Amino acid sequence: MKFFMKCDEAVHVCDKSQYNEASFFEKLKLKMHILICVLCRGHAKRNTKLTKTIKSANIKTLRPEEKQRIKTKLQNEIKNGHNS
């Protein structure tokens, strides 16, 4: 198995890591790559900042029932609008 990765793979693993989907070995390879590559290091820092910002945003979303109610209403409006 290759220990060093290319930048495109590093970006992909960095994104996976953001969502806790990267394996231990992928994270290790990413850390090694980031030590060497300035561009990917910058990407990783921005990704980390984005993750922290999103987690601290305390965003409120609609419940699935509310989403379905709005979707149904929109579909009915579109259907009734085409029949007029």
Side-chain angles (χ1 to χ4, degrees), residues 3-4 6-7 17 20 22 28 30-32 36 42-43 45 49 53 59 72 74-75 81:
F3 193 71
F4 291 102
K6 294 181 180 181
C7 290
S17 183
N20 297 319
L28 182 62
L30 177 63
K31 286 185 187 288
M32 294 296 294
I36 299 167
H43 176 78
K45 284 182 182 180
K49 185 176 181 179
T53 302
I59 297 172
T72 302
L74 285 171
Q75 288 172 336

Side-chain angles (χ1 to χ4, degrees), residues 8-24:
D8 58 340
E9 184 184 355
V11 168
H12 180 69
V13 172
C14 186
D15 294 344
K16 282 175 60 175
S17 183
Q18 180 181 6
Y19 299 105
N20 297 319
E21 296 173 354
S23 70
F24 173 77

Side-chain angles (χ1 to χ4, degrees), residues 14-61:
C14 186
D15 294 344
K16 282 175 60 175
S17 183
Q18 180 181 6
Y19 299 105
N20 297 319
E21 296 173 354
S23 70
F24 173 77
F25 192 66
E26 286 176 319
K27 290 177 188 177
L28 182 62
K29 286 178 20 177
L30 177 63
K31 286 185 187 288
M32 294 296 294
H33 183 85
I34 286 174
L35 287 173
I36 299 167
C37 183
V38 176
L39 294 175
C40 290
R41 188 177 318 134
H43 176 78
K45 284 182 182 180
R46 288 188 301 277
N47 231 12
T48 300
K49 185 176 181 179
L50 175 64
T51 301
K52 287 180 182 179
T53 302
I54 290 171
K55 286 182 179 179
S56 68
N58 197 19
I59 297 172
K60 305 279 190 262
T61 60

